[in-house]
Amino acid sequence: MIFYIVLAIVFFTKGHVLFPVLILVSAILLLYGYEKSGTVYLAFQHLKRQNINRAEVLLLQTKRPEKLSKGQKAYYHFTKGIICAEKQQWNTAFSELNEALALGLRTKNDTSIVLFSLASIEFSRKNYDEAKILIQKCKEFELKPEIELGMKELEEKINSTH
């Protein structure tokens, strides 16, 4: 932003009027885009690469998640929920992942990952019946092989303990 402002001042002092206006408009658009997207996309990409610590640092840079667009807000809660689950903060993870589901995720794969994560959390909290319900919901989606394998393992664990 500082670069944009300095550049606009330089052009304005050289007698140009149109360039500074265009530069300031682009700076405003950049600020607006950042306000609506934050660092959620970057955090989510690090989460997909299993770089949990970096994802958390990036997510914390989004100061006002309530200002994010609906889609970005869903992935903010998704990412935060997975980070909390990794830290075994089950209640926070559960509420964040439910919020992500309520807002709606872009892909069926992401929705199935959230449902699987919720089932895993319920298993960890010893809510086996709720975990089974979530597994059944997850099975309604076309699952990627790694999620399907995780579901079968979780289902076996539930059946052996319950």
Side-chain angles (χ1 to χ4, degrees), residues 85-152:
E86 288 290 323
K87 293 179 168 186
Q88 298 182 353
Q89 298 170 347
W90 305 128
N91 292 334
T92 305
F94 190 80
S95 64
E96 292 292 337
L97 291 171
N98 272 316
E99 185 67 25
L101 275 181
L103 289 167
L105 298 162
R106 282 188 295 269
T107 68
K108 291 178 180 181
N109 183 58
D110 292 342
T111 302
S112 68
I113 290 169
V114 169
L115 288 169
F116 173 66
S117 298
L118 287 168
S120 298
I121 290 168
E122 288 294 46
F123 175 77
S124 297
R125 297 194 307 185
K126 297 184 179 19
N127 295 333
Y128 303 118
D129 292 334
E130 290 297 318
K132 283 183 180 180
I133 291 169
L134 288 163
I135 287 173
Q136 292 308 314
K137 283 184 186 179
C138 193
K139 284 183 177 179
E140 295 172 9
F141 294 94
E142 193 173 309
L143 304 174
K144 288 196 172 182
E146 58 271 7
I147 297 173
E148 193 168 357
L149 179 63
M151 287 286 258
K152 287 178 182 176

Side-chain angles (χ1 to χ4, degrees), residues 22-87:
L22 291 175
I23 290 169
L24 292 175
V25 167
S26 65
I28 290 168
L29 290 174
L30 181 67
L31 184 62
Y32 176 77
Y34 182 77
E35 192 72 22
K36 290 297 178 187
S37 298
T39 55
V40 175
Y41 179 77
L42 289 173
F44 184 66
Q45 293 306 311
H46 280 280
L47 181 71
K48 286 182 2 182
R49 288 186 226 122
Q50 301 295 315
N51 191 350
I52 303 297
N53 293 332
R54 182 70 181 141
E56 183 176 20
V57 167
L58 286 167
L59 202 63
L60 289 172
Q61 291 177 10
T62 301
K63 300 296 181 199
R64 293 182 286 183
E66 68 278 357
K67 297 282 186 181
L68 295 170
S69 66
K70 183 180 176 184
Q72 292 297 317
K73 201 181 295 186
Y75 281 88
Y76 173 87
H77 291 291
F78 179 172
T79 305
K80 189 172 180 183
I82 298 295
I83 290 168
C84 289
E86 288 290 323
K87 293 179 168 186

